[in-house]
Amino acid sequence: MDTTKVATSNTTTAATTKKKNRVGAVAGWADDRLGLAALGKKQLRKVFPDHWSFMLGEIALWSFVVLLLTGVFLTLWFNPSMGEVAYDGSYDQLRGIEMSEAYASSLHISFDVRGGLLMRQMHHWAAMLFVASMMVHLLRVFFTGAFRKPRELNWVIGCLLLILGTLEGFTGYSLPDDLLSGTGVRAADGFIKASPVVGTYMSFLLFGGEFPGEAIIPRLFTVHVLLIPGLLLALIAAHMLLLVYHKHTQWPGPGRTEQNVVGYPMLPVYAAKAGGFFFIVFGITAMMGALLTINPVWKYGPYDPSKVTAGSQPDWYMGWPDGALRIMPGLESEIFGYTISWNVMLPILILPIVMFIILLLLPFLDAWITGDKRDHHLLERPRNAPTRTALMVALMTMYGLFWAAGGNDIIAITLHASINQITYFMRAAVIIGPIIAFFITRRWCISLQRKDNETVLHGYETGIIMRSPEGGYSEKHLPLPESKAYALTARDRDPVPNGLPSGGTDANGVPAPEGGRLAGLRHRLRTLYYADNAQKPTPEELAEGHHHAEHEHELQTGMDGHAADGHQFDGHHLVEDEHLRDPHH
Amino acid sequence: MRLLNRSAGRLSRHRRGPLAGLAVVLLGLLLTGGLYTAFSPAQAGSTKSSADQIEQGRQLFIVGCSFCHGQNGEGVLSEDGESQLGPSLVGVGAAAVDFQVGTGRMPMAQPGAQVPEKQETYDEEEIAALAAFVASLGPGPAIPDESDYTLEGLSEEERQQAIVNGGQIFLTNCTACHNFEGSGGAMPRGGYAPRIRGVEPRYVYEALLTGPQNMPNFSNGNLPPESKRNVIAYLNSLEEQPNYGGFGLGGFGPVPEGLAAWLLGIGACVGAAVWIAAHTTRSNKKKADA
């Protein structure tokens, strides 16, 4: 073997290459000036755990990158002006029509800029994916308990990203100034005006006078391309820095503790995986942009306050407040000659803000109820926090029903149903549905917990059916592999809530440690939070279960390989050592 | 060959027969008459007298329509006299009959929120007879002629203007119920504005003229015949143009777009995430449990 081309040493002295290459020289030059090696040495080897659900946030990150790339392309031609022009482009059906420059330039991008329509559609699809993937990521974080200490503030940042992403989407939806987007802006104007006392002033401030005026498109443009993207970038940076600082959470398993992270290093594994995922997300967005029509602005025509189209809906992420608005009964009251429009205020101004505040506070509420102040880096399976899981499923159900109500007209014509009856149904369903979902999910989780305990204690079902000499059938169980059994039982036992609320004493006469006015409420919530949860088996139960299983196993192994055909007990030989069944039963 | 020769011989043998002249004259008359009826412009009395047609229509009407509309199309009141089983057809005109029966809406299978379009029950001749009968009950809009709704005879520039004008009329008057590309929309209490993409121009014209069911009536005073023609030209142009953006998702706006984003977009992205996480670095072929 020719060793001249190999590094001279790999032991105590540092390896040196035979000849300095150019890459090394450049890296050395940069390191001398920027100190990259010290930073890179730590961060490039940063370990991340591997699970598909940890990559959901990445979809949001990469679709945001697609949004930045396609968005920059669009700004090169988009003209955010409400000045009137007569259209003179290549779309025949609108030639000669008076329209705003914003709409004319949207048409120009769609029909007269090479690749413009593809970029527009990719931008729009990426926006839909951006918000959707943030929500999927949020659900993963909540269901697995990844929001718990020390990550509560990162949850808050994530919520801010979600609401900013929604606003960013809405401003973008409004920019082309077509009939649909104009209808959306008109609706927003109505919502603002529904706020008592200050509504009209706020509307005049936003529109620079009466709707529509000439200021709204340029203003929304600035918000859309400068203000919100800047905030999004800053918050995404903070979100990811905190991720690096906290280190990623991981699923419990052998060798995984609250003090370590088991996985693969950033370079080369995650750099390749995440980089590859970017190309996949980009590819999916490009495929959708190329194959599926989204927001065909040329068919809507220019905005004109006197026109409207059936099927006027916002983009999906604004769909649920729209649904709340659609099913809200027409409540209004008059105070001192002023009308308070509860029918608009409640579903559009109050409900989303209340829901958002609830979302922001979820980690703090959870921590307050459980009283858990420990750091958590190991995730919980959704079934092991039944009340928490059920709470989120209830919220999801409510969201989904409001969302469906936002498409009530499309549902009506698709299912040949009456839009009125759909509306009446939804009014009740948005309240009853979440309650039913809560209880079903909670009991479902507890059943899954019990099933886990069953598997740990009595082994897994092998699918092998044994027939006993009497003719009875039973399924052969085998003990779980140790690593699986460990993963199933790595969770903590739920704390036993003190027997008495504040002011009382426990069985040992120790007074309850906490006071305060809300202590009683907290105690009751905590009792309900953990009520009926199945606890993992105790070591004694486990030992008993294993003993039992071993015995059964012994009996069964004796019969392995030859059928229990009854000849063992046919009286032709001694049966002292053979049992018909487990004598312990 | 022999056979041909023989028959030729037979024919030539008869050509001087006593009936030969008569046969030739009859053949000539038949040919001329046939050609005339085939190629001459249709005239009132040329096919069937209108009285006959009205009578045929009356017979059909009594069997298929009179149960709800009355034997003379006067309408039938419900028992309490509050509502109408079927409305009076006096003055609705041939256009209404052609639309309702021609699209299969009438005769209706059952009462309901709205009468749906279905396979038509009568053939063209019967529909024409029914239309003639109802038209005879009182003056009303006639079935439009094809020249009313085509752009035949217009210059390229005039056609262009007609389509643009039709688009503006469509967006102002029609989209609120029928949606921006005529995909249809929901109306209160189970009613709906039907999909109008792909509907025959004649029926679009007649619907505008007669305002069937929930639809308002766009009389010629409100919407001149030319504007109706332009709307139809715009709808046709939408159908003729390629799908610039790709598959149209039914043309229902943001709802199917949102569904596609979740089912296709997020579905594909999550699927890719599962795939990436399942394929990780390893030094042997056995899957690592990391």
Side-chain angles (χ1 to χ4, degrees):
Chain A
M1 189 175 145
D2 177 21
T3 52
T4 54
K5 291 188 179 69
V6 180
T8 49
S9 162
N10 205 15
T11 53
T12 48
T13 48
T16 50
T17 46
K18 269 272 178 216
K19 213 167 73 181
K20 275 188 179 167
N21 65 30
R22 205 164 286 165
V23 179
V26 171
W29 186 92
D31 181 41
D32 290 345
R33 285 154 185 83
L34 300 168
L36 291 175
L39 189 74
K41 193 177 180 186
K42 179 156 185 259
Q43 299 306 335
L44 291 179
R45 301 293 297 170
K46 180 119 187 140
V47 167
F48 289 93
D50 211 2
H51 193 261
W52 66 269
S53 71
F54 302 162
M55 302 177 76
L56 299 175
E58 254 180 71
I59 304 174
L61 180 68
W62 298 137
S63 48
F64 186 69
V65 174
V66 175
L67 282 169
L68 289 179
L69 294 174
T70 51
V72 168
F73 181 94
L74 295 176
T75 52
L76 300 181
W77 285 277
F78 183 68
N79 181 0
S81 153
M82 292 175 94
E84 288 271 309
V85 285
Y87 179 66
D88 189 26
S90 26
Y91 186 66
D92 283 347
Q93 281 93 327
L94 290 171
R95 196 165 304 135
I97 298 292
E98 293 277 323
M99 55 181 66
S100 68
E101 286 180 297
Y103 185 59
S105 61
S106 301
L107 290 177
H108 180 72
I109 291 170
S110 302
F111 293 109
D112 297 300
V113 173
R114 195 175 295 257
L117 182 57
L118 176 67
M119 288 296 150
R120 253 200 63 226
Q121 299 206 126
M122 275 179 74
H123 192 70
H124 205 144
W125 282 121
M128 309 272 265
L129 291 186
F130 179 55
V131 188
S133 52
M134 279 198 281
M135 283 187 59
V136 176
H137 174 57
L138 176 148
L139 292 176
R140 195 284 292 175
V141 167
F142 191 82
F143 280 135
T144 59
F147 61 88
R148 292 172 299 172
K149 189 185 169 189
R151 296 182 176 77
E152 302 100 319
L153 288 179
N154 225 11
W155 170 272
V156 171
I157 292 175
C159 291
L160 292 175
L161 280 169
L162 181 63
I163 198 155
L164 282 174
T166 306
L167 286 175
E168 177 72 342
F170 180 77
T171 51
Y173 168 95
S174 308
L175 285 181
D177 203 23
D178 58 291
L179 182 56
L180 191 63
S181 68
T183 307
V185 176
R186 181 47 152 170
D189 176 47
F191 305 152
I192 293 169
K193 282 178 177 157
S195 29
V197 187
V198 291
T200 319
Y201 297 102
M202 290 204 302
S203 165
F204 273 48
L205 184 69
L206 179 64
F207 289 90
E210 182 52 271
F211 175 89
E214 291 193 333
I216 189 68
I217 297 281
R219 285 179 182 180
L220 288 179
F221 182 72
T222 310
V223 171
H224 184 77
V225 305
L226 180 71
L227 180 63
I228 300 182
L231 289 173
L232 281 173
L233 271 173
L235 286 174
I236 289 173
H239 200 69
M240 294 185 62
L241 281 175
L242 277 178
L243 157 75
V244 169
Y245 171 68
H246 290 142
K247 300 178 183 63
H248 206 288
T249 49
Q250 58 187 343
W251 288 108
R256 298 174 189 194
T257 68
E258 296 280 9
Q259 277 78 40
N260 68 5
V261 181
V262 178
Y264 292 106
M266 172 86 150
L267 208 71
V269 180
Y270 278 97
K273 282 195 174 205
F277 200 28
F278 166 67
F279 289 112
I280 288 177
V281 172
F282 191 99
I284 288 169
T285 322
M287 287 272 277
M288 295 182 82
L291 299 177
L292 304 174
T293 309
I294 187 164
N295 198 17
V297 285
W298 56 93
K299 284 183 180 158
Y300 292 113
Y303 180 58
D304 169 348
S306 69
K307 294 172 187 161
V308 73
T309 167
S312 284
Q313 256 97 2
D315 272 347
W316 74 261
Y317 39 83
M318 297 292 278
W320 75 272
D322 185 49
L325 182 69
R326 283 174 187 231
I327 60 173
M328 179 73 195
L331 288 180
E332 281 181 357
S333 50
E334 205 171 287
I335 300 170
F336 305 123
Y338 293 99
T339 306
I340 308 279
S341 298
W342 298 108
N343 49 0
V344 181
M345 231 170 87
L346 274 178
I348 288 285
L349 298 178
I350 295 175
L351 178 76
I353 292 174
V354 167
M355 290 285 269
F356 183 67
I357 291 173
I358 290 176
L359 193 68
L360 271 183
L361 291 183
L362 278 176
F364 305 101
L365 273 175
D366 187 78
W368 183 72
I369 292 173
T370 58
D372 189 351
K373 293 188 175 64
R374 295 165 300 167
D375 273 14
H376 290 281
H377 301 287
L378 288 177
L379 296 173
E380 272 184 315
R381 297 173 86 197
R383 67 184 62 172
N384 288 331
T387 308
R388 182 211 294 156
T389 303
L391 177 70
M392 185 47 92
V393 172
L395 288 174
M396 283 168 72
T397 309
M398 189 190 266
Y399 185 100
L401 288 165
F402 275 129
W403 201 12
N408 59 358
D409 54 336
I410 305 292
I411 295 174
I413 52 173
T414 316
L415 303 183
H416 302 289
S418 158
I419 194 168
N420 301 56
Q421 280 160 9
I422 294 172
T423 303
Y424 303 146
F425 173 80
M426 286 299 184
R427 280 178 185 169
V430 290
I431 295 164
I432 300 166
I435 296 172
I436 296 174
F438 180 87
F439 286 110
I440 290 179
T441 312
R442 199 159 173 282
R443 296 319 306 192
W444 194 336
C445 286
I446 292 169
S447 298
L448 287 171
Q449 282 188 317
R450 290 184 181 148
K451 190 231 157 209
D452 279 352
N453 287 355
E454 195 74 5
T455 322
V456 169
L457 289 174
H458 305 298
Y460 67 95
E461 296 169 351
T462 55
I464 299 167
I465 305 296
M466 305 285 289
R467 189 184 176 202
S468 71
E470 301 101 311
Y473 291 94
S474 62
E475 187 174 4
K476 188 172 171 180
H477 285 233
L478 283 178
L480 279 184
E482 228 160 63
S483 63
K484 274 225 171 103
Y486 177 84
L488 282 182
T489 51
R491 67 190 174 105
D492 291 328
R493 252 186 210 93
D494 292 332
V496 184
N498 275 346
L500 290 162
S502 169
T505 50
D506 67 8
N508 298 323
V510 179
E514 56 197 73
R517 271 177 300 153
L518 291 173
L521 173 69
R522 180 178 171 172
H523 176 81
R524 245 168 299 155
L525 284 176
R526 191 180 294 176
T527 312
L528 288 173
Y529 190 92
Y530 291 121
D532 303 337
N533 286 7
Q535 302 305 323
K536 68 178 177 186
T538 59
E540 294 79 53
E541 286 169 332
L542 200 62
E544 161 75 11
H546 281 179
H547 174 73
H548 181 93
E550 262 162 33
H551 188 82
E552 203 161 74
H553 204 201
E554 244 167 41
L555 282 176
Q556 286 166 344
T557 41
M559 294 180 185
D560 272 350
H562 58 93
D565 57 4
H567 288 290
Q568 287 94 329
F569 306 99
D570 59 7
H572 292 287
H573 56 99
L574 292 171
V575 293
E576 265 88 347
D577 295 317
E578 308 216 25
H579 300 281
L580 280 170
R581 51 161 43 166
D582 184 352
H584 293 289
H585 265 124
Chain B
M1 227 34 227
R2 228 179 120 195
L3 190 82
L4 272 177
N5 280 342
R6 203 162 60 192
S7 65
R10 198 174 288 163
L11 189 67
S12 66
R13 236 183 291 141
H14 290 298
R15 72 180 174 207
R16 288 180 215 285
L19 293 175
L22 186 66
V24 167
V25 168
L26 281 175
L27 212 71
L29 281 173
L30 205 67
L31 197 71
T32 339
L35 284 174
Y36 179 77
T37 40
F39 292 106
S40 73
Q43 275 167 16
S46 65
T47 45
K48 197 189 253 178
S49 78
S50 56
D52 284 352
Q53 200 186 20
I54 289 172
E55 181 51 27
Q56 187 201 351
R58 202 178 72 81
Q59 296 298 336
L60 288 167
F61 189 88
I62 286 172
V63 174
C65 320
S66 61
F67 185 81
C68 301
H69 291 292
Q71 297 202 3
N72 295 306
E74 74 279 13
V76 173
L77 278 179
S78 61
E79 265 183 33
D80 57 5
E82 294 281 307
S83 58
Q84 202 117 35
L85 208 59
S88 162
L89 298 183
V90 177
V92 300
V97 179
D98 193 53
F99 175 83
Q100 301 280 6
V101 184
T103 60
R105 287 178 166 84
M106 289 290 155
M108 66 192 223
Q110 61 192 8
Q114 192 161 325
V115 185
E117 194 186 343
K118 61 178 186 298
Q119 180 66 43
E120 60 268 28
T121 315
Y122 296 102
D123 65 21
E124 261 179 61
E125 189 206 342
E126 291 167 330
I127 294 169
L130 278 169
F133 170 69
V134 171
S136 74
L137 300 175
I143 298 171
D145 191 68
E146 200 178 338
S147 61
D148 291 334
Y149 48 80
T150 57
L151 298 180
E152 293 289 325
L154 294 186
S155 72
E156 194 50 45
E157 201 176 322
E158 285 169 329
R159 285 176 187 221
Q160 177 66 43
Q161 278 176 353
I163 289 173
V164 171
N165 174 259
Q168 292 307 297
I169 294 166
F170 180 75
L171 287 167
T172 312
N173 296 298
C174 315
T175 51
C177 302
H178 287 285
N179 144 316
F180 59 94
E181 51 175 306
S183 308
M187 306 295 289
R189 309 226 167 263
Y192 56 92
R195 178 192 166 94
I196 47 175
R197 250 181 305 144
V199 172
E200 265 181 65
R202 188 174 88 195
Y203 295 132
V204 176
Y205 198 100
E206 286 169 351
L208 285 165
L209 208 54
T210 61
Q213 306 197 30
N214 285 323
M215 183 165 159
N217 187 328
F218 294 87
S219 68
N220 283 345
N222 277 333
L223 196 68
E226 212 172 81
S227 301
K228 293 193 176 78
R229 177 200 70 189
N230 293 351
V231 168
I232 289 166
Y234 176 73
L235 285 172
N236 286 341
S237 80
L238 280 189
E239 255 175 83
E240 279 160 20
Q241 78 183 19
N243 275 332
Y244 295 111
F247 177 59
L249 301 174
F252 282 113
V255 172
E257 289 168 4
L259 274 180
W262 273 93
L263 298 180
L264 301 177
I266 290 295
C269 287
V270 172
V274 172
W275 178 73
I276 291 174
H279 293 78
T280 202
T281 172
R282 54 192 190 230
S283 49
N284 58 15
K285 284 191 173 173
K286 216 172 144 277
K287 227 176 203 182
D289 194 28

